[in-house]
Amino acid sequence: MKKIRTGGAYIFLCISCFFTIGPMVFLLLLSVRTKTELIREGVLSLPKILHFENYIQAWKQGHFSVYFKNSIIISVISVIGVVVFSVLIAYAMAYYDFIGKGLVNALILAGLIIPFEIIIIPLFYNMKFIGLLGTRAPVYLTHIAMNIPMSVFLIIGFIKDIPKELVESARMDGAGEFTVMCKIVVPIIVPALVSVVILIFMWTWNDFMLSNIMLREDNIRTLPLGLSFFKGKFSRDIPMTSAASAIIMSPVFLVYMIFQKWMIKGLTMGAVKG
């Protein structure tokens, strides 16, 4: 029975990998072909010659250099903002008792359960009222606010696992709260922080709905918006559209492949404690 369960698990994992990796491989194969070859030989045939010039043409004709810069700026600011505020909030919630702590905890839980679609209309008018429309600020400020609850919820679980004696001994030695947080707590919760960074980067980079609502000018649009306009212009050029999609996908894929061990460690640490 153990061998059957193990074999079944391997079969399930193989099927899952096929449906996960298969579309990505299919997209990459389409991106290095030509329209003529695609029509003549079909979409399932393998390319005879790799046409990497599709990537260069897609990059130039889609103005992806501008969209790439905007996506980088918004994603980096969002990640930094979420990490900084989440660490500060989680540290205070873990080690301090203050008036209104229950209310803060309730607001964090509310942030986890309130759907984004409910607040998008008042959020748009608020950003318009304070004069932020026409800039990148509405997007990264919203991402920071919306992702803090999840990040605090994840980080605070790691902080509570740190022995309080370690923190108390540092305080007795004369270390201030900022020193304790930066030199003792933060190095221990690095796996959790890496998980937060990867998740926030992926969500921000791939965001379409919020960016589509807030970013109207072409010079501040992000890559997903740029791809949407690119697909409308080159809808019949499947290799070019596939190359553009691969360009947008590559940064997130590289970040995940580099930091996947840290991410898995951060998300699973503590799950097997008895």
Side-chain angles (χ1 to χ4, degrees), residues 69 96 100 105 142 150 170 199 227 251 259 263 271:
K69 180 188 69 174
Y96 287 96
N105 189 52
T142 303
M150 183 280 298
L199 290 174
L227 178 62
F259 298 104
M263 181 179 178

Side-chain angles (χ1 to χ4, degrees), residues 70-88 136-137 139-148 150-152 155 190 192-206 251-252 255 259:
N70 294 328
S71 291
I72 286 291
I73 292 174
I74 292 174
S75 298
V76 169
I77 294 177
S78 300
V79 168
I80 294 175
V82 170
V83 170
V84 171
F85 287 113
S86 298
V87 170
L88 292 173
R136 305 182 188 96
V139 178
Y140 60 71
L141 289 177
T142 303
H143 279 298
I144 291 173
M146 292 293 295
N147 290 310
I148 281 179
M150 183 280 298
S151 303
V152 171
I155 294 173
V190 165
L193 297 181
V194 173
S195 300
V196 169
V197 168
I198 295 175
L199 290 174
I200 303 305
F201 180 80
M202 291 172 58
W203 294 339
T204 307
W205 187 273
N206 294 325
V252 175
V255 169
F259 298 104

Side-chain angles (χ1 to χ4, degrees), residues 28-46:
L28 294 176
L29 292 176
L30 286 177
S31 67
V32 293
R33 304 178 67 180
T34 63
K35 290 175 59 177
T36 304
E37 180 183 356
L38 198 65
I39 296 173
R40 185 175 60 250
E41 300 183 8
V43 296
L44 298 179
S45 61
L46 295 177

